[in-house]
Structures are given as structure tokens and as C-alpha cells.
Amino acid sequence: MTENDKSLIHPLDLPLALSLLSRLPVPVRAYGRSAEAAWAYPLVGTMLGALAALGGLAAGWLGLPAPVAALVALAMLIVLSGAMHEDGLADTADGLWGGWTREKRLEIMKDSHIGSYGVLALILSLGARWCALWLLFQSGAAVATSALIVGATLSRGMMPMVMMALPHARETGLSHRVGRVAPRAAALALVLGGGIAIVLLGGAGLVAAVWAALAALGVGAVARAKIGGQTGDILGATQQIAEIAALFSLLA
């Protein structure tokens, strides 16, 4: 098979997805299947969530309290992904609520500076995830580990759905370079994400998947209404909001 093969699954897909969604040193030079590789996004989330969980567990083994273990795990998630999703959330908040027209919103989202909406979005997102992980680590290492993996997996599994459902809002940027995701790749991502959640947490994992999907649909609906489509920033915001929704559902 070549890198431009359009089959559903390809050996290059997982390393390609890792190179796109993480800062792990994965040597990938062939990006011809960037859109097709979206089915592997939840697997990337599983790997990142597991690594972050190991960091939190190590903190616990060292005798550090649950709040610190949660902070270590959250910091590892951010470092492993290069804070790209947090950056997307901040730009989305600034653009969608800082501009009065579609063109102005897209212009603000492309600006490298961060505004008050973006700062507040980051504070609330980080606070929400830290509090959720804090309470989960207090419930036990096994619970926190499963929740971390499920949250990271489901949230990344929702991104291909938004990439499939919405057109590109601009003709440049990372999302446009990746391309439009086919329905079968988006469906496989949803199935994989939901399946991993159910295997790890049973019925609670299914509930978390439903809430993550609703959160992603909500972000997509707002993006369609305000800028007519999706960008890389919208996808980052989708991941963040879906992860919060999944973690909160597990707390409930």
C-alpha cells in the first residue's frame, strides 16, 4: 500500500495521527493520508491518557496528595499534546465572541495574541479538568486512570465527526491541510472511542461517550452559526469541551 492509498485503515495512520495530535517523536514524512488517518485519533487519546495517568500514579506513589497527582497528570496531557488544543480553545473563545462578523471572527482566531475571552476560557477549562481529576484521584488510582484514558480517548474521537460534518471555514490552516474526513473514518473513530470507554468503565463509559458527543455537537453548532464551518481552532475547542463533559459525567 502507498501513502496515498484511500483504504480505511493503513499502517501509516497511527503514527501519522500521533504526529498531528502530539509532540511525541514519531518520524512521519508522508502526510498524504492525513484525513484518512483521523480514525486513529481516539487511539492517540488512549496513549496520551495512559501516559498522563502514569504521571499521576507516580505522584501518588511518592506520597503526594490527590490535588498534586491531578495537577501532574493534567500537566502531562498538556505537554504531550503541545498545548495545541488549549490554544485552539483560547483562539475560538476570542474569535467567536470577540467579533461581530464572520470575517472579523476568523481574523481574530488567526491572530497569535490572546484576549480576555481566551484567557477566561483557559482558566475555566484548566480549573474544570483539574477539579474533576482531583476528585477522581481521591476516589482511587484505578478510577482516575480509567477516567483519564476515557476522557482523552473520547474527546479526540469526537474531532473527526466535526471534521466530517462541517466545511472548512477558511482556505488555509492546519485543518484545511488535513482535509475533509470521510464518514467511514469518522464513524470508526466514534466506534473506537466509545468501545474503549465501555471496555474500561462499562455503562459509565457509554454515558461519558454520549455527553462527549453532545458537547462536540454543541461546539460544532456554534461554529456553524458564527463562522460557517470548522478550523483547527474549532477542533481544539471541541476536544477540550468534550473532555470536560466526559470527566464531569464520570463524576456524576
Side-chain angles (χ1 to χ4, degrees):
M1 291 188 292
T2 67
E3 66 177 83
N4 291 313
D5 181 65
K6 298 305 178 182
S7 57
L8 179 57
I9 297 176
H10 189 284
L12 289 175
D13 288 347
L14 182 55
L16 179 52
L18 275 167
S19 72
L20 289 171
L21 298 186
S22 79
R23 290 297 181 264
L24 295 176
V26 183
V28 176
R29 298 178 181 177
Y31 289 90
R33 282 183 56 90
S34 293
E36 288 77 14
W39 70 264
Y41 286 5
L43 299 182
V44 174
T46 299
M47 296 175 66
L48 299 185
L51 291 172
L54 286 176
L57 291 174
W61 290 331
L62 292 173
L64 297 173
V68 179
L71 186 61
V72 169
L74 179 57
M76 286 194 66
L77 271 179
I78 295 171
V79 170
L80 288 169
S81 67
M84 64 184 304
H85 305 306
E86 286 78 9
D87 180 69
L89 175 66
D91 287 343
T92 295
D94 277 335
L96 298 191
W97 277 272
W100 291 100
T101 65
R102 175 182 182 275
E103 291 71 23
K104 185 61 177 178
R105 289 165 184 151
L106 288 170
E107 179 184 342
I108 293 173
M109 291 169 71
K110 193 174 181 180
D111 193 334
S112 60
H113 296 88
I114 186 170
S116 57
Y117 286 114
V119 171
L120 290 171
L122 286 176
I123 291 173
L124 292 173
S125 170
L126 292 171
R129 287 185 290 159
W130 181 37
C131 288
L133 292 174
W134 177 346
L135 294 172
L136 289 164
F137 270 102
Q138 281 186 335
S139 299
V143 172
T145 297
S146 297
L148 261 168
I149 295 173
V150 166
T153 299
L154 287 175
S155 58
R156 287 161 181 81
M158 300 301 158
M159 294 166 65
M161 176 178 66
V162 176
M163 298 169 75
M164 175 202 71
L166 297 182
H168 297 291
R170 62 163 62 100
E171 298 302 316
T172 59
L174 178 60
S175 177
H176 186 269
R177 290 197 300 273
V178 169
R180 194 79 176 266
V181 172
R184 61 178 186 169
L188 181 54
L190 288 175
V191 170
L192 278 175
I196 292 170
I198 292 171
V199 167
L200 290 177
L201 291 173
L206 177 59
V207 172
V210 171
W211 280 107
L214 290 174
L217 290 172
V219 175
V222 173
R224 183 186 290 276
K226 288 186 173 286
I227 60 173
Q230 53 90 2
T231 66
D233 290 330
I234 295 297
L235 298 178
T238 297
Q239 187 279 323
Q240 293 280 283
I241 301 302
E243 184 173 10
I244 292 170
L247 292 175
F248 276 23
S249 75
L250 295 175
L251 284 177

